[in-house]
Amino acid sequence: MKITDRSDLWWKTAIVYCLDVETYMDWNDDGCGDFEGLAHRLDHLAELGVTVIWLMPFQPTPDRDDGYDITDFTGVDPRLGALTDIAEFTRTARDRGMRVIIDFVMNHTSDRHPWFKSARRSLDAPYRDYYVWRDAPPKKQAQTVFPGEEDSVWELDERTGQYYLHSFYRHQPDLNIANPAVRDEIATTMGYWLELGISGFRVDAVPFLIEPPEGVDIGDPHELLRDLRRFLQRRSSEAVLLGEVNLPYEQQLDFFGKQGDPPELTMQFDFLGMQALYLSLAREDARPLAEMLAARPQLEPEAQWANFVRNHDELTLDKLSDAEREEVFDAFAPEDWMRVYGRGIVRRLPTMLDGDPRRIRMVYSLLFSLPGTPVLFYGEEIGMGENPEQQGRMSVRTPMQWTGEPNGGFSRAPTRRLRAQPPSDGYAPEHVNVEAQMHDPESLLGFIRSLTRRYRSSPEIGWGVLDVLPSGQDAVLAHRITADVGRFVALHNFAPTPTIVSLDLGPVAPDSQLSDLFRVDRFDLDEQGRIDVHLDAYGYAWFRVVEPGDRRLT
Ligand code: NOJ
């Protein structure tokens, strides 16, 4: 494959960084982050090695689901800025080598969206059919996504006497995708943002989005995604769809597009791998993750897995068995406040790992070494913790911690005016902030920067085919990624004890070596590709197989 082909498919080796403008940087000191503040922090993102900024919803909203309840799909929340700011911001980001993708939340609207306000006026209101109505909730109801906060996915609209569907909160009525006018709205909204310089979309709640209303035949619901992808690619050859699909791998494959069918999503988050990672961490045993990775399907060259350790929602464990979930809860969420919806954890990684820098680094090393595209949630690069005083999922959505000053340098407004406040414990801004780490190569920030550099100079990680290798030890994950650009091998030790791993890579060219990608060491391999490697407690190592005559710099 030529290098030009490779860079056309830029998302294969991207580094995605998710942030909420509202909590990133407040430049006008009203207590709410804004686009101007974010623009002032582009240097931080560029230096970190980010290549794609994923903006969480920034459209006008009553903010009852942190912006995932939108009242105008083509607007900007005036607290954050204006449309001109988006155009300027995407342009400036691109100038710094970063693309921008945005959350695309069109499964539902806010109940204050003008469409819904109109729809609920009467049974024959013009926008009535934009939503899903029934005289009575169906007998067989889908379960609510938010147990404890909602008890049904149908809500009675008093005025018209019918029930409307809401897969999420009752203030988020589902749009009716069986209505062609709604499908047009979805496509034109995408087209609109592309014109403003956006390079793609993180598509919210995809399985809910394409699910037709019960009893309505729309043919194959995946046709909606195929159509959207076709539309997207006609408008922009470089734009991507990164989908939120938390389903078993087999079903995820359908969302990439079945073999022989036109493509659907470009990328999907690996929710299963993420959950297996936490089980492995809890057990100090790499096997759950190794088994999950071995089962993870190899994708078509254009498609990609998006790997993550933590996102903005609860850390969901819904795909683990009940017993496995309990193990992870016991290890990382022993107190009630740490758990939510019976399935998830509301903490960030460093607090779950008791701040142990060895384990934290091992996890991020793993994130950047897994085949696919790594996705960071803001604050992970400096090891931010959560604020237990913020309810539920809001605990991890606290302001970015820039300095040790009040409000972590996020805003000079009085702290009480902030929507979410930084933690006041050992993870408070005075202990964890960008400024304290940015010139220290030994800091977590320095470490993550070295990972992003190494990831970017190792395209085989994004492009290659994965093998999980026998490591001879339950606690050690050994994996190899093979691509036309090279062979990469990584080791990760989930246990608190140092160890020696006997690697067996299979036959290699005579005089091949293993080059350590972090320690500028080279080790000779025998012709069977065997070598013993020392690993520290919770240690990690990245290698490249170097054959005589190899012209790559390592
Ligand atoms: C998924 C988002 O990640 C979550 O934060 C939100 O509450 C739901 N979709 C509803 O939009």
Side-chain angles (χ1 to χ4, degrees):
M1 181 173 281
K2 286 200 188 116
I3 203 136
T4 42
D5 301 339
R6 242 197 298 280
S7 53
D8 284 348
L9 274 57
W10 56 266
W11 56 92
K12 296 285 289 186
T13 51
I15 295 170
V16 183
Y17 185 96
C18 167
L19 65 88
D20 188 352
V21 180
E22 192 182 9
T23 50
Y24 207 59
M25 184 67 208
D26 170 19
W27 208 252
N28 64 1
D29 293 325
D30 63 353
C32 179
D34 41 52
F35 274 100
E36 196 178 356
L38 170 56
H40 281 276
R41 291 296 183 252
L42 281 174
D43 288 338
H44 167 71
L45 298 174
E47 277 164 34
L48 180 58
V50 168
T51 66
V52 181
I53 302 169
W54 152 21
L55 299 179
M56 286 169 64
F58 52 78
Q59 291 87 349
T61 173
D63 230 359
R64 285 183 290 170
D65 182 16
D66 203 19
Y68 284 89
D69 46 331
I70 294 176
T71 53
D72 175 5
F73 288 118
T74 55
V76 176
D77 182 337
R79 296 171 311 148
L80 311 182
L83 272 180
T84 44
D85 291 314
I86 306 257
E88 282 297 303
F89 169 69
T90 51
R91 192 217 143 267
T92 315
R94 193 174 279 266
D95 183 56
R96 307 299 313 272
M98 292 178 281
R99 290 180 167 86
V100 178
I101 65 172
I102 65 172
D103 238 298
F104 192 77
V105 191
M106 287 199 75
N107 171 71
H108 48 265
T109 67
S110 158
D111 61 358
R112 301 201 201 152
H113 193 292
W115 296 340
F116 193 66
K117 285 202 208 158
S118 155
R120 71 195 316 184
R121 266 187 213 124
S122 70
L123 290 174
D124 53 8
Y127 285 95
R128 186 77 179 174
D129 200 30
Y130 266 43
Y131 296 89
V132 182
W133 302 95
R134 292 287 177 273
D135 290 332
K139 287 211 178 58
K140 234 183 78 208
Q141 274 197 38
Q143 279 186 347
T144 174
V145 176
F146 298 130
E149 296 184 43
E150 294 291 348
D151 48 22
S152 163
V153 295
W154 292 93
E155 181 70 10
L156 176 65
D157 176 53
E158 301 277 353
R159 181 152 168 191
T160 55
Q162 283 192 322
Y163 291 78
Y164 62 86
L165 176 67
H166 61 90
S167 299
F168 296 93
Y169 290 111
R170 72 187 69 182
H171 57 75
Q172 291 167 319
D174 278 32
L175 282 165
N176 175 17
I177 49 116
N179 180 350
V182 169
R183 294 207 295 265
D184 279 352
E185 300 277 8
I186 293 177
T188 50
T189 304
M190 268 193 178
Y192 169 87
W193 288 113
L194 291 174
E195 292 302 313
L196 287 180
I198 298 299
S199 300
F201 303 90
R202 178 268 186 191
V203 191
D204 190 59
V206 187
F208 296 93
L209 172 70
I210 69 165
E211 168 101 17
E214 214 204 73
V216 179
D217 183 11
I218 60 161
D220 179 358
H222 283 271
E223 196 51 30
L224 172 70
L225 270 186
R226 286 181 211 122
D227 256 355
L228 266 187
R229 174 75 180 263
R230 276 192 284 259
F231 171 80
L232 185 82
Q233 242 69 97
R234 284 199 305 273
R235 291 285 173 98
S236 162
S237 58
E238 66 141 26
V240 294
L241 298 176
L242 164 57
E244 184 198 24
V245 181
N246 177 10
L247 289 175
Y249 287 139
E250 273 308 301
Q251 293 177 46
Q252 281 192 283
L253 282 181
D254 294 346
F255 284 81
F256 281 116
K258 282 205 185 80
Q259 243 189 349
D261 281 347
E264 299 180 26
L265 298 171
T266 329
M267 307 170 81
Q268 290 180 53
F269 295 103
D270 181 4
F271 279 94
L272 267 75
M274 181 278 292
Q275 301 188 37
L277 163 67
Y278 283 94
L279 185 58
S280 275
L281 288 168
R283 289 185 181 167
E284 304 199 327
D285 180 339
R287 287 175 299 172
L289 178 59
E291 282 159 24
M292 193 58 84
L293 289 172
R296 191 171 81 160
Q298 178 66 35
L299 304 175
E300 296 292 313
E302 289 78 15
Q304 184 63 305
W305 291 110
N307 299 313
F308 68 106
V309 164
R310 191 66 179 91
N311 68 10
H312 60 289
D313 285 329
E314 77 282 5
L315 189 173
T316 185
L317 302 169
D318 66 336
K319 296 290 180 289
L320 299 181
S321 71
D322 292 350
E324 291 167 341
R325 189 177 317 109
E326 279 312 312
E327 276 181 71
V328 181
F329 275 157
D330 285 349
F332 300 134
E335 293 172 36
D336 264 357
W337 71 265
M338 301 170 177
R339 305 179 185 186
V340 73
Y341 311 135
R343 63 166 185 258
I345 298 180
V346 298
R347 307 177 80 193
R348 281 184 180 251
L349 181 80
T351 54
M352 287 191 277
L353 299 184
D354 297 325
D356 185 337
R358 301 168 304 171
R359 280 181 108 182
I360 296 168
R361 286 170 193 231
M362 189 277 283
V363 171
Y364 286 110
S365 160
L366 188 60
L367 172 69
F368 280 86
S369 72
L370 288 178
T373 296
V375 183
L376 288 172
F377 179 47
Y378 77 91
E380 285 194 279
E381 72 273 35
I382 53 168
M384 270 169 53
E386 68 284 344
N387 182 352
E389 277 151 37
Q390 306 285 336
Q391 286 294 304
R393 297 183 298 169
M394 292 306 288
S395 62
V396 300
R397 301 177 182 183
T398 55
M400 180 65 183
Q401 299 176 189
W402 297 106
T403 68
E405 294 162 316
N407 301 335
F410 156 74
S411 171
R412 290 179 299 196
T415 304
R416 65 185 152 72
R417 287 187 63 188
L418 308 192
R419 169 124 199 276
Q421 290 159 15
S424 52
D425 54 15
Y427 291 85
E430 58 191 291
H431 307 294
V432 177
N433 67 69
V434 173
E435 202 169 49
Q437 298 187 26
M438 63 193 283
H439 301 298
D440 176 5
E442 300 302 316
S443 64
L444 183 61
L445 180 58
F447 175 67
I448 304 270
R449 283 180 183 163
S450 66
L451 290 175
T452 61
R453 272 198 300 275
R454 264 314 186 190
Y455 173 82
R456 291 289 286 172
S457 63
S458 309
E460 56 269 52
I461 303 178
W463 280 96
V465 175
L466 170 78
D467 290 293
V468 176
L469 302 172
S471 73
Q473 293 173 49
D474 296 347
V476 176
L477 177 73
H479 72 277
R480 173 174 53 196
I481 309 178
T482 311
D484 58 351
V485 261
R487 258 175 304 169
F488 170 93
V489 179
L491 298 174
H492 290 88
N493 182 7
F494 282 72
T497 36
T499 186
I500 307 274
V501 180
S502 299
L503 262 183
D504 186 347
L505 302 175
V508 290
D511 301 322
S512 291
Q513 291 185 310
L514 210 52
S515 168
D516 187 319
L517 297 183
F518 286 111
R519 295 176 191 86
V520 290
D521 280 338
R522 285 203 177 190
F523 309 97
D524 293 331
L525 287 167
D526 71 16
E527 292 201 0
Q528 289 310 309
R530 283 177 301 218
I531 188 168
D532 284 348
V533 181
H534 169 86
L535 271 188
D536 291 337
Y538 298 124
Y540 58 87
W542 292 23
F543 301 107
R544 181 171 296 135
V545 179
V546 182
E547 293 182 358
D550 221 322
R551 295 173 68 190
R552 235 172 127 182
L553 298 173
T554 45

